Amino acid sequence: MLRPISALTTSALVLVLFATLNVSVTFGQSRWGQTATNGSGLGLGDATTITWGFVSDGTAITPAYSSESTDASDLIGFLDTNIGAGAGGTDLTNRPWYTVFDSIFERWGNVSGLSFSYEANDSGERIDNTVAPRGQLGVVADVRISGHSIDGQTGGNTLAYNYFPDHGDMVIDTDNVSFYSNSSSNYLGLRNVLAHEFGHGMGLPHVTANNSRQLMEGSINTTFDGPQIDDIHQAQRRYGDNWEENGGNDAFSVATDLGIFDGTDMLIGADANMGASVVEVDPDQVDFISIDNDTDVDFLQITLDSIYDMSFALDMVGPTYNHDGDSSYSLANQSDLDMVLLASDGTTVLADSNNAGIGVSEQIDMVLEAGTYYVQILGNTDATQFYQFGASGFSAVPEPGSMLALGTLGALLVGRRRRRIR
Ligand SMILES: [Zn+2]
């Protein structure tokens, strides 16, 4: 009989990390500088693809802790025994537990500029802090997952540890049979350990949030599922948001297409708009967008199907909480963003809104004819700012005789109303 997972969520179960020696940038902003897929030269805010895979049982692991065994990895056998082996075989993607691991990478990918690819091959090299092999497509994954005995399953219990980039390898404590075999909420205990450990694997340090509501706090927590708002913010600081993938949206030619505006309000980025306090992030929420630094630019494309009196609203969003000793850390006050409205050529400026001040909203109100427009959003601070962008509009009906003067319609509209999207 499995104990309820809540019985195992005390602070006695401590997740630990171990810093690798080859962290190449500031500790708090470490990230991958080279991957098998992208090659080298990756920097802060760059979308990145990381390959991941399992080492074979029998692969050596150099202990990182004095309590840790010198045994070879036994993770696959451990998972087969405690979660299930299915039909077995060499293709691990058929294992019942594979989808648990895969879902963690998919989730991190859905809330950041990270993408993931499973690497079925492994080079067999030792898991070790100083000799980590570089990922190589078809040969060895960027992130290699292993496991063996670390320190039993009682006392100041380590569940797993993980190396920082560009190493990223994970070691799971296979002593923790009761914890990892707990299938409650689709193996939430295992999933949050994996999501936390891979958080380190992408470069995230522990956060002291003082509210036990963030994944990257130092103790396991199963009162939520996966990355939370601070975790997502830290991930986007390093890898940008989901729109930075596949070439990104940093130019009008690759703008994020919001589609046809037909009078129905448009609103994006709303999942980070949780009000003043931290609210739990559900694992199906994906609408988190940001400007990740003072060189990032987002282009949005909107096509009007008619003439409208438009309002474009840009709001800085995110809760306030205790973050690493700052009791009034506010995700809504990270950067001063500006908004520019561009014509269909992507360069002609029709209007801009550049109110000064971190966290200050921007708004553009303008009558626009049918056609395609671009909204450019940019940051003035080397910080990552969640934003929410809304477009609303009302049919702009020109008074008789004014159809030839569309450019000066502003004063001739009937039925003008404005409202702001929140
Ligand atoms: Zn940790």
Side-chain angles (χ1 to χ4, degrees), residues 15-17 160 196-197 200 204-206 215-219:
L15 296 157
V16 296
L17 61 95
H196 174 105
E197 294 305 335
H200 294 317
L204 273 56
H206 280 159
L215 178 67
M216 294 314 295
E217 293 181 64
S219 299

Side-chain angles (χ1 to χ4, degrees), residues 55-57 73-85 92 95 97 147 174:
V55 303
S56 298
D57 284 359
S73 184
D74 59 2
L75 179 67
I76 292 169
F78 171 82
L79 295 170
D80 282 352
T81 299
N82 292 292
I83 296 180
L92 299 179
R95 293 293 209 280
W97 41 264
T174 56

Side-chain angles (χ1 to χ4, degrees), residues 288-301:
F288 301 91
I289 51 178
S290 64
I291 295 294
D292 54 73
N293 59 39
D294 54 0
T295 62
D296 184 24
V297 180
D298 285 357
F299 281 82
L300 313 175
Q301 177 181 328

Side-chain angles (χ1 to χ4, degrees), residues 17-20 23 27 30 162-168 200-201 203-205:
L17 61 95
F18 195 77
T20 181
V23 173
F27 172 81
S30 70
N162 207 101
Y163 291 97
F164 281 113
D166 281 347
H167 184 172
H200 294 317
L204 273 56

Side-chain angles (χ1 to χ4, degrees), residues 24-236:
S24 57
V25 290
T26 306
F27 172 81
Q29 297 177 354
S30 70
R31 55 147 290 147
W32 284 79
Q34 176 177 343
T35 70
T37 308
N38 300 113
S40 61
L42 300 169
L44 208 54
D46 291 346
T48 301
T49 298
I50 293 173
T51 57
W52 66 278
F54 301 96
V55 303
S56 298
D57 284 359
T59 302
I61 302 173
T62 301
Y65 295 95
S66 57
S67 63
E68 191 173 349
S69 85
T70 57
D71 295 344
S73 184
D74 59 2
L75 179 67
I76 292 169
F78 171 82
L79 295 170
D80 282 352
T81 299
N82 292 292
I83 296 180
T90 56
D91 183 358
L92 299 179
T93 66
N94 293 324
R95 293 293 209 280
W97 41 264
Y98 172 85
T99 54
V100 175
F101 285 78
D102 187 51
S103 71
I104 296 311
F105 292 105
E106 181 179 354
R107 178 58 183 154
W108 270 120
N110 284 340
V111 294
S112 73
L114 284 169
S115 301
F116 296 94
S117 177
Y118 174 68
E119 172 59 67
N121 300 291
D122 186 71
S123 59
E125 290 166 87
R126 168 182 290 272
I127 299 286
D128 185 282
N129 191 25
T130 56
V131 294
R134 284 281 181 194
Q136 190 178 346
L137 296 179
V139 178
V140 60
D142 295 315
V143 169
R144 304 166 72 210
I145 301 174
S146 65
H148 68 174
S149 168
I150 295 178
D151 64 354
Q153 56 179 332
T154 59
N157 185 11
T158 298
L159 291 166
Y161 66 86
N162 207 101
Y163 291 97
F164 281 113
D166 281 347
H167 184 172
D169 292 350
M170 186 185 300
V171 182
I172 293 170
D173 187 353
T174 56
D175 291 334
N176 288 280
V177 174
S178 60
F179 182 86
Y180 287 126
S181 62
N182 189 328
S183 61
S184 176
S185 300
N186 188 24
Y187 295 94
L188 181 58
L190 170 61
R191 289 190 295 114
N192 273 5
V193 168
L194 296 176
H196 174 105
E197 294 305 335
F198 180 71
H200 294 317
M202 73 166 79
L204 273 56
H206 280 159
V207 63
T208 303
N210 242 14
N211 60 9
S212 298
R213 300 184 85 164
Q214 308 301 332
L215 178 67
M216 294 314 295
E217 293 181 64
S219 299
I220 182 66
N221 191 331
T222 53
T223 62
F224 51 75
D225 189 332
Q228 300 297 297
I229 192 68
D230 186 76
D231 312 308
I232 295 168
H233 184 255
Q234 297 286 343
Q236 294 197 0

Side-chain angles (χ1 to χ4, degrees), residues 232-233 236-237 240-244 249 288-293 296 298 337 377 384-387:
I232 295 168
H233 184 255
Q236 294 197 0
R237 174 66 174 155
D241 60 33
N242 207 246
W243 289 348
E244 302 297 337
N249 62 354
F288 301 91
I289 51 178
S290 64
I291 295 294
D292 54 73
N293 59 39
D296 184 24
D298 285 357
L337 303 192
I377 299 170
T384 299
Q385 180 63 62
F386 283 128
Y387 69 84

